[in-house]
């Protein structure tokens, strides 16, 4: 029994090690889940669970693909989602259960497939509209009044979820960028946990670099903030090169790799706004090159963290002064 449990645990660890890293932050996941739960509870309390389920369907479509966007771009995305998803539900209910539903879903799938590679916005709107279209076109056809009422409940769920996203937009955008860079460091930790550097690990590392660069570019930060984010990402890339060279050229011990992995995990926690125990403990580096690269990474992360805290405090002080006036 002990051997079976060990084999099962080892298999789970291997699956988790090869699983793709989640792009969404935990706060974003919790926010969406909370809004969906509120929709269900509101329907139950008001005695109309059907309306609550429809609103929950709408709330589920917002934020399927997280993106760091400027405020105006985010609002445009939410409005586009609202219009397209509501129209998809309305049409799906009106032609549900008929052969027209097959034609409409095929046309919607073609439009989504043709536009999915254009931008993240097109992919988000396309997947959400297609999902709702397939769900509601499979139900029996409804009367025009019932279709409009159901589409309105779905629209309410979309609006509530969109408002919840917009309210925390500024903090969530910064967290999302930090999470993207932290995912890049997680691939480095995975490299350290492997007995040797392999091609698949390097591909995952470079893929996360591309993802983080795309997120920073789409965030629309001011020039100083954008520069700081890119400096941190560049420091992670330098650390990767030093780590790979060390693992390939030197006889690395498991103890050194685990110790270096702990240092990288501390930076992951800082990038995601979490505190890590022993963050200030100095650790010996396996080689001078790796030590210098990791120190530059730690300095870049600390600089970004302190600058963000200073900006938040200045913003709070200015707001209090304006309120007093």
């Amino acid at each position: 029994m002990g051997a079976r449990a060990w084999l099962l645990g080892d298999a789970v660890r291997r699956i988790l090690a090869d699983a793709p890293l989640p792009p969404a932050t935990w706060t974003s996941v919790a926010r969406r889940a909370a809004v969906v739960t509120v929709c269900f509870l509101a329907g139950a309390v008001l005695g109309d669970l059907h309306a609550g389920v429809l609103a929950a369907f709408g709330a589920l479509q917002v934020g399927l693909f997280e993106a760091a966007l400027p405020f105006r771009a985010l609002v445009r995305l939410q409005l586009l989602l609202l219009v397209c998803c509501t129209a998809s539900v309305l049409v799906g209910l009106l032609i549900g259960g008929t052969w027209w539903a097959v034609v409409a879903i095929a046309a919607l799938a073609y439009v989504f497939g043709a536009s999915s590679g254009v931008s993240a916005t097109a992919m988000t709107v396309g997947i959400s509209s297609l999902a709702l279209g397939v769900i509601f076109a499979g139900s029996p056809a409804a009367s025009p009044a019932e279709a409009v009422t159901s589409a309105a409940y779905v629209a309410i769920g979309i609006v509530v979820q969109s408002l919840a996203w917009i309210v925390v937009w500024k903090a969530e955008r910064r967290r999302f960028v930090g999470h993207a860079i932290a995912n890049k460091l997680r691939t480095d930790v995975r490299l350290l946990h492997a007995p040797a550097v392999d091609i698949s690990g390097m591909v995952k590392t470079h893929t996360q670099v591309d993802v983080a660069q795309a997120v920073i570019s789409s965030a629309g930060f001011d020039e100083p903030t954008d520069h700081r984010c890119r400096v941190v990402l560049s420091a992670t890339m330098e650390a990767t090169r030093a780590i790979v060279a060390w693992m390939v050229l030197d006889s690395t011990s498991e103890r050194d790799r685990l110790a270096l992995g702990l240092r990288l995990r501390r930076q992951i926690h800082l990038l995601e706004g979490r505190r890590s125990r022993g963050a200030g403990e100095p650790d010996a580096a396996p080689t001078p090159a790796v030590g210098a690269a990791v120190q530059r990474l730690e300095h870049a992360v600390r600089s970004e963290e302190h600058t963000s805290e200073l900006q938040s405090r200045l913003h709070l002080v200015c707001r209090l002064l304006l309120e007093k006036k």
Side-chain angles (χ1 to χ4, degrees):
M1 185 65 183
R4 291 181 179 180
W6 183 87
L7 289 174
L8 179 60
D10 184 66
V12 171
R13 285 192 295 270
R14 290 179 180 272
I15 292 173
L16 293 176
D18 294 332
L21 296 171
T25 61
W26 285 111
T27 54
S28 174
V29 173
R31 184 180 65 252
R32 288 198 295 268
V35 172
V36 171
T37 303
V38 167
C39 290
F40 277 116
L41 293 177
V45 170
L46 297 176
D48 193 350
L49 188 58
H50 178 67
V53 171
L54 291 173
F57 268 120
L60 281 172
Q61 307 313 311
V62 180
L64 281 175
F65 289 90
E66 285 291 343
L69 296 173
F71 184 75
R72 292 184 179 180
L74 177 62
V75 172
R76 285 196 299 267
L77 172 62
Q78 304 307 323
L79 292 175
L80 188 60
L81 267 172
L82 176 63
V83 172
C84 292
C85 290
T86 304
S88 181
V89 171
L90 183 62
V91 173
L93 286 171
L94 290 174
I95 64 175
T98 66
W99 65 273
W100 282 104
V102 179
V103 177
I105 292 172
L108 191 59
Y110 175 79
V111 172
F112 162 63
S115 61
S116 60
V118 176
S119 65
T121 298
M123 181 178 292
T124 301
V125 175
I127 286 183
S128 300
S129 302
L130 182 60
L132 289 176
V134 170
I135 291 171
F136 289 97
S139 60
S143 64
E146 292 174 342
V148 170
T149 302
S150 298
Y153 286 131
V154 173
I156 290 173
I158 295 174
V159 170
V160 173
Q161 188 71 274
S162 298
L163 290 176
W165 193 3
I166 289 174
V167 166
V168 297
W169 156 78
K170 193 169 186 178
E172 182 62 29
R173 179 177 63 159
R174 182 174 291 278
R175 277 194 297 264
F176 185 62
V177 173
H179 180 72
I181 301 175
N183 277 347
K184 158 64 183 65
L185 284 179
R186 285 189 173 93
T187 60
D188 296 333
V189 174
R190 289 183 175 184
L191 283 177
L192 289 168
H193 287 173
V197 178
D198 57 357
I199 299 300
S200 62
M202 293 299 299
V203 169
K204 291 176 182 177
T205 298
H206 289 295
T207 299
Q208 289 301 324
V209 171
D210 295 336
V211 171
Q213 287 178 337
V215 168
I216 295 172
S217 298
S218 67
F221 285 131
D222 55 83
E223 187 174 350
T225 305
D226 182 87
H227 175 71
R228 289 194 302 272
C229 292
R230 294 185 185 277
V231 166
V232 176
L233 181 60
S234 177
T236 66
M237 296 165 63
E238 185 178 351
T240 301
R241 289 191 291 268
I243 290 170
V244 171
W246 168 58
M247 294 183 66
V248 172
L249 299 177
D250 298 341
S251 56
T252 61
S253 67
E254 185 177 0
R255 179 180 179 278
D256 288 338
R257 286 188 277 113
L258 290 176
L260 188 56
L262 287 176
R263 289 185 68 176
L264 295 182
R265 288 187 183 277
R266 292 170 189 165
Q267 307 314 306
I268 291 173
H269 292 165
L270 292 176
L271 285 168
E272 294 183 333
R274 294 181 289 161
R275 294 295 176 182
S276 180
R277 292 182 180 179
E281 296 177 0
D283 293 323
T287 64
V290 173
V294 175
Q295 282 180 358
R296 280 190 285 269
L297 170 62
E298 292 170 343
H299 175 72
V301 173
R302 284 196 302 268
S303 298
E304 168 65 13
E305 181 191 18
H306 292 163
T307 305
S308 301
E309 291 180 357
L310 180 61
Q311 288 178 341
S312 300
R313 291 175 182 175
L314 288 175
H315 178 73
L316 178 60
V317 171
C318 291
R319 194 173 71 177
L320 291 175
L321 291 175
L322 289 174
E323 289 178 354
K324 288 182 178 181
K325 291 182 178 180

